[in-house]
Amino acid sequence: MIASSSIKSHFMTFSLCFFLMLTISCQQQKQETVKKDINYAGLVYPQLDTENSRWFFFSSACRPFGLVNLSPDTEIDGAWGSGYRYKVDTIKGFSHIHAWQLSGLSMMPVDLGKTSEKVIYEDYFSKFDHGREEVAPGYHKLHLERYNIGVELTSTKRVGFHQYHFNGKAPAILINLSGQLGPSKITDGSIKQIESKIIEGELTNAPTRRRPKPTKVFFRIELDRDVKEVLNSEDNGKFLLKLDEGKEKVKMKVALSYTSLENAKFNLDHELPHWDFDQIVEDSQTEWNGLLGRIKVEGGTDEEQQRFYTDLWHALQGRRIINDANGYYPDNTGDSFKIKQLPLSENGEPLFDHYNSDSFWGAQWTINTLWQLVYPEIAESFTNSLLQYYQDGGLVPRGPAGGNYTYVMTGASSTPFIIGAYQKGISRFNLETTYEALKKNHMPGGIMTKAGYEHKTTLGGGLNYYIKEGYVPYPIPEGHFGYHQNGSTLTLEYAYQDWCLAQFAKSLDKIEDYDYFMARSKNYQNVFDPSSGWMRPKNVTGEWLEPYDPYKYNVWFTEASGAQNTWFVPHDLEGLAELMGGKDEAIAKLNRQFEEAKKLGFTSGTSHAQEQHPEYSRIPINYGNQPSIQTAFIFQNLGRPDLTQYWSKEVVNTIYKGLTTSRGYNGDEDQGLMGSLAVLMKIGLFQMTGGTEINPVYQITGPTFDRVEIELNKDYYKGQKIVIETENNSKENCYIKTATFNDQAIENFNLGHAQLVNGGILKLGMSPQVP
């Protein structure tokens, strides 16, 4: 009995221990599961900065780069100050395209029991309350007070999915196929009822100053309730779908295509063959989580983490696909419109997508670095799309819209994007053809010859002067042909982009071209005035502009002042410093500019619209627009990494913080550029040249968070992940005291791309004092 009791006691003790171990193990597994299954999309705050919104800025019911970008519009007149504006309390429609120079297909559920058919065509807007609104990546829900209708929106890549909760007896849907909608005037709208639940139609985006050719949009609408009558306003392009009565939910699928009705139907059948609304919301969240979760951060406040994933979400926004699911796309690059098809895989899927995109102006410090490191498949798709434009129209674009060349902004901004991809091993494209395409843009007849939105002439870019005289004069004596004919800015851009092309030439063993473009890359020296210490406009006879004010904004320099634009020499900062009297002089000069800029919060007010403000416009460094966003990192290139570490943290903690509708990027968030910059600054990685040099390097500046984990795409990089770990990290401890990668000390706080993407652990010891 004693032995038996002892065994029982031991058994009970063992069982208790086993139970405790099992419980602890289960808790650890549960914690790991919770950690693994973080809803990153749920951390995004889509309303950020929406008081300053523009047409393509806000997104809700949208997939990454989706052709459909379905969301409510509270302002519909013009590209600026339009779309979803948070402080405007009236819904003016739910439209499906919010893209660079494109819009289309706005609709609104209504209750004809509350408004007569005669009135509805002219007066169908409705108040709404943010208190009854839910917004997340891939989903938008709100309530139309006028009609007592609940609205839910989601989408696939090319199909918008609506779910309406009608509470009245006369449900209907108004479709607006006319008038101004964001950047475009909608014309030539028509619809046709195919079956009791199916409507087809088309509309046209009329030409704009920036997009010179019309762009058609075709659509197919399928409902789960009969349309008993289709009414036409006759004179104002509005149509009314009267539905069978009933208070239950109404679901509607809206598929778009830029090529044909047949392809709109294909997109619908291919992407959304069922009616499970909740499943599409879940699928959208899964897709967003897959991309957002490639960077995992730990530490910081909850708000800082939310803001980080909001920044990362913006980095994957704005630029839209234009091809159908079967690869057909609109080609408007030639004299006549054509429908073409992208190359397909063995299973019939397009090998890459084709895009509608704002310029890559300033992208060398933003999306180039972020996409090519974290999303190389996206960088490759965009590269192949840019090259497809070359195959179709003979030029690599700097911002295409609807298959059109727009010639937005200046220079050859796609050059650094494509070369940066190549230098990082993203090179599934023909190298000789690619080099030929980029070189063409840098020579007479190429895209450098054209100023902003210069469609029919090739004089505004001043390239002939740049090649012959070594600079672009201001003013160009031939006259005004487009926007941004600012000679000094053009000279600086061309010089940097020439340097990028020279690196590509050297990689391909084109030594003669390398020497030629390297020589041109020194042309920035010709617009530096040693007497004033600034870049300065020079006229055609070589005389400096008089009188000259280096703080005058957007007059002689494009979206910048001379003080801001002087530092646009990312490829030869040591050479620039020599012109200024040496590194010490250059560092002191830039440091003074930062000290002055800090007084105004490092930006020209809280929005792009305030950059002309008499006081804000004179800020010496502006992190609200692209021309000077690299400046905090210049110090490291000149031997003062401590100042880079200090000022980059000051900028982040001043500008890219908080979750509010009134501010967010404090300027011009051009389709992910500022969101990408914020992400890079918060993870502590930056590339001064955009990674276009042979064997590109990253500056290590220290992250906002205690730990950052970057998941690498195994189809492109050997490593599994990059981990950045910090010790003693805080806002006060902004300086890096020690730095190792895979236990090897890092020199000069620089780390090569090839080394980084092999994976490993970057350990940083932080300090409140300069080491």
Side-chain angles (χ1 to χ4, degrees):
M1 291 292 293
I2 296 175
S4 176
S5 176
S6 177
I7 291 171
K8 184 176 181 181
S9 175
H10 282 297
F11 178 76
M12 291 178 65
T13 301
F14 173 78
S15 298
L16 179 61
C17 291
F18 179 77
F19 175 75
L20 290 172
M21 290 173 62
L22 185 63
T23 301
I24 293 170
S25 177
C26 289
Q27 288 177 342
Q28 289 175 340
Q29 289 179 4
K30 184 177 180 181
Q31 289 174 353
E32 289 175 2
T33 301
V34 170
K35 181 179 177 182
K36 183 179 179 181
D37 295 336
I38 292 174
N39 180 12
Y40 298 101
L43 297 175
V44 172
Y45 180 65
Q47 296 96 324
L48 183 75
D49 215 0
T50 49
E51 290 180 33
N52 305 305
S53 187
R54 59 194 289 193
W55 184 250
F56 58 61
F57 176 81
F58 177 77
S59 296
S60 53
C62 178
R63 298 294 181 95
F65 307 106
L67 186 152
V68 163
N69 180 216
L70 177 58
S71 60
D73 297 321
T74 61
E75 293 287 5
I76 56 177
D77 188 12
W80 289 90
S82 62
Y84 180 88
R85 298 271 285 185
Y86 189 83
K87 280 197 170 181
V88 182
D89 64 358
T90 302
I91 300 295
K92 298 178 180 177
F94 301 94
S95 65
H96 292 74
I97 299 174
H98 295 83
W100 164 245
Q101 291 300 301
L102 289 176
S103 61
L105 196 51
S106 178
M107 50 182 54
M108 184 87 153
V110 298
D111 184 348
L112 295 177
K114 298 181 181 295
T115 304
S116 70
E117 292 180 14
K118 184 177 181 180
V119 171
I120 197 70
Y121 294 116
E122 300 295 335
D123 178 19
Y124 61 89
F125 300 164
S126 172
K127 299 284 188 182
F128 78 112
D129 185 346
H130 290 303
R132 301 183 69 178
E133 183 181 34
E134 295 178 28
V135 190
Y139 180 73
H140 203 130
K141 177 182 179 180
L142 54 78
H143 192 83
L144 298 176
E145 295 178 355
R146 178 178 178 182
Y147 306 111
N148 190 24
I149 297 173
V151 176
E152 292 182 274
L153 309 171
T154 189
S155 71
T156 66
K157 287 281 190 186
R158 299 169 179 85
V159 185
F161 202 177
H162 304 237
Q163 184 165 260
Y164 301 145
H165 304 256
F166 287 102
N167 295 292
K169 294 184 178 180
I173 299 171
L174 186 139
I175 300 177
N176 184 4
L177 300 181
S178 65
Q180 194 71 32
L181 185 61
S184 300
K185 183 177 181 181
I186 305 301
T187 65
D188 302 324
S190 64
I191 64 174
K192 181 179 181 181
Q193 188 168 10
I194 305 302
E195 297 178 16
S196 61
K197 296 181 176 69
I198 300 176
I199 305 292
E200 288 186 341
E202 63 181 68
L203 59 87
T204 298
N205 281 259
T208 70
R209 173 68 179 85
R210 292 164 172 80
R211 173 180 46 77
K213 298 176 183 177
T215 301
K216 279 197 171 188
V217 178
F218 301 87
F219 57 88
R220 181 179 176 89
I221 301 171
E222 294 189 7
L223 299 98
D224 66 349
R225 186 184 296 190
D226 284 347
V227 178
K228 65 181 182 181
E229 191 175 6
V230 178
L231 302 177
N232 186 349
S233 63
E234 295 183 358
D235 60 346
N236 69 357
K238 296 181 177 66
F239 300 84
L240 196 63
L241 311 183
K242 297 180 70 175
L243 309 180
D244 280 351
E245 295 180 5
K247 290 189 176 182
E248 67 274 12
K249 297 176 184 176
V250 172
K251 295 179 181 179
M252 177 174 65
K253 300 186 286 190
V254 182
L256 304 187
S257 168
Y258 290 108
T259 60
S260 68
L261 289 171
E262 293 77 14
N263 283 327
K265 181 180 185 303
F266 180 89
N267 292 337
L268 193 152
D269 294 341
H270 183 77
E271 295 186 354
L272 190 51
H274 61 78
W275 290 94
D276 191 337
F277 185 89
D278 292 338
Q279 183 62 55
I280 297 302
V281 173
E282 183 179 334
D283 291 346
S284 186
Q285 186 177 82
T286 298
E287 185 173 356
W288 278 114
N289 277 328
L291 291 180
L292 296 173
R294 296 233 191 137
I295 305 180
K296 300 172 177 64
V297 298
E298 296 177 18
T301 65
D302 290 343
E303 184 177 273
E304 285 173 333
Q305 290 198 15
Q306 287 179 276
R307 177 56 195 265
F308 177 82
Y309 286 105
T310 303
D311 292 332
L312 187 56
W313 178 67
H314 271 283
L316 301 169
Q317 281 294 349
R319 299 163 200 267
R320 311 284 176 211
I321 59 174
I322 61 171
N323 61 287
D324 299 311
N326 55 14
Y328 287 101
Y329 68 91
D331 174 22
N332 244 323
T333 61
D335 294 332
S336 60
F337 174 78
K338 296 177 181 178
I339 297 173
K340 294 183 178 179
Q341 189 174 32
L342 298 171
L344 305 178
S345 65
E346 292 181 358
N347 61 1
E349 297 288 331
L351 292 177
F352 55 89
D353 282 318
H354 209 32
Y355 295 93
N356 191 94
S357 174
D358 197 355
S359 174
F360 290 85
W361 196 74
Q364 67 270 6
W365 300 313
T366 57
I367 60 175
N368 294 19
T369 298
L370 180 65
W371 288 1
Q372 289 161 11
L373 177 62
V374 186
Y375 309 104
E377 75 282 8
I378 292 173
E380 182 177 74
S381 186
F382 269 84
T383 295
N384 279 304
S385 176
L386 292 168
L387 295 172
Q388 189 66 48
Y389 280 102
Y390 171 72
Q391 294 289 345
D392 292 338
L395 290 177
V396 175
R398 56 188 181 219
N404 281 245
Y405 287 115
T406 68
Y407 306 111
V408 54
M409 299 312 295
T410 51
S413 56
S414 297
T415 293
F417 183 89
I418 294 174
I419 294 173
Y422 166 75
Q423 300 288 25
K424 294 166 191 170
I426 306 168
S427 56
R428 297 175 189 172
F429 43 83
N430 185 284
L431 296 182
E432 286 299 326
T433 300
T434 302
Y435 181 79
E436 168 194 285
L438 297 182
K439 181 179 177 180
K440 182 176 179 180
N441 266 357
H442 289 238
M443 300 302 289
I447 210 163
M448 276 186 176
T449 61
K450 290 177 175 288
Y453 318 117
E454 183 182 356
H455 304 296
K456 297 181 179 179
T457 52
T458 57
L459 294 172
L463 184 65
N464 55 326
Y465 293 102
Y466 174 83
I467 293 173
K468 184 178 180 181
E469 306 296 337
Y471 69 99
V472 179
Y474 179 87
I476 294 174
E478 288 84 355
H480 186 77
F481 302 94
Y483 289 75
H484 312 311
Q485 291 185 201
N486 307 108
S488 296
T489 289
L490 293 173
T491 303
L492 295 171
E493 283 186 47
Y494 297 170
Y496 160 65
Q497 291 158 4
D498 280 344
W499 183 87
C500 295
L501 188 57
Q503 308 313 299
F504 194 20
K506 188 175 183 180
S507 296
L508 300 180
D509 201 30
K510 298 179 183 294
I511 303 305
E512 186 176 342
D513 279 6
Y514 168 76
D515 292 338
Y516 172 72
F517 287 110
M518 280 297 289
R520 279 180 29 170
S521 77
K522 298 291 186 180
N523 281 349
Y524 75 88
Q525 299 172 352
N526 298 324
V527 290
F528 181 82
D529 172 24
S531 65
S532 68
W534 303 107
M535 297 296 175
R536 185 174 180 179
K538 183 185 289 186
N539 67 19
V540 71
T541 61
E543 299 169 315
W544 296 114
L545 177 76
E546 293 286 359
Y548 176 56
D549 178 356
Y551 296 98
K552 196 167 186 178
Y553 176 81
N554 201 28
V555 177
W556 307 302
F557 296 85
T558 301
E559 297 188 14
S561 66
Q564 296 164 13
N565 225 171
T566 287
W567 301 96
F568 194 106
V569 190
H571 60 291
D572 191 17
L573 289 168
E574 291 190 0
L576 176 63
E578 288 180 17
L579 295 177
M580 293 179 172
K583 289 184 180 180
D584 291 343
E585 290 292 328
I587 290 167
K589 181 185 185 75
L590 184 57
N591 198 55
R592 287 194 297 270
Q593 288 185 242
F594 267 94
E595 289 172 344
E596 288 300 311
K598 183 179 180 179
K599 297 174 184 177
L600 288 173
F602 301 109
T603 63
S604 296
T606 58
S607 73
H608 191 48
Q610 293 181 305
E611 289 181 343
Q612 300 283 4
H613 185 280
E615 180 183 7
Y616 300 149
S617 68
R618 297 185 68 80
I619 192 168
I621 296 292
N622 178 22
Y623 265 84
N625 209 327
Q626 286 82 48
S628 58
I629 56 176
Q630 88 289 8
T631 44
F633 303 93
I634 289 174
F635 296 106
Q636 182 161 323
N637 283 75
L638 298 181
R640 288 294 303 273
D642 57 306
L643 289 176
T644 283
Q645 292 159 21
Y646 174 77
W647 285 118
S648 64
K649 298 298 186 301
E650 285 288 300
V651 169
V652 163
N653 295 330
T654 302
I655 305 172
Y656 306 125
K657 68 172 186 177
L659 299 170
T660 173
T661 61
S662 61
R663 56 178 291 184
Y665 300 105
N666 296 19
D668 196 4
E669 212 293 303
D670 278 328
Q671 298 191 344
L673 296 190
M674 293 305 186
S676 297
L677 178 66
V679 168
L680 292 169
M681 295 181 84
K682 290 174 183 180
I683 65 176
L685 297 174
F686 188 81
Q687 292 187 308
M688 180 58 68
T689 69
T692 55
E693 71 270 24
I694 299 172
N695 301 320
V697 298
Y698 297 85
Q699 291 186 26
I700 309 301
T701 61
T704 298
F705 303 98
D706 298 336
R707 188 178 191 275
V708 177
E709 180 179 309
I710 302 172
E711 176 188 334
L712 295 171
N713 187 327
K714 63 182 180 181
D715 292 333
Y716 295 83
Y717 301 132
K718 293 180 180 179
Q720 182 181 358
K721 60 186 177 183
I722 302 163
V723 176
I724 305 172
E725 295 179 346
T726 62
E727 295 179 0
N728 302 319
N729 197 26
S730 69
K731 286 183 172 62
E732 295 75 24
N733 296 0
C734 64
Y735 300 107
I736 301 174
K737 184 177 182 180
T738 59
T740 63
F741 185 68
N742 292 337
D743 296 325
Q744 298 294 314
I746 297 174
E747 295 183 3
N748 304 319
F749 301 110
N750 288 330
L751 193 58
H753 174 81
Q755 185 180 6
L756 191 64
V757 297
N758 278 333
I761 300 176
L762 172 63
K763 292 184 178 181
L764 303 174
M766 308 304 293
S767 171
Q769 298 176 335
V770 178

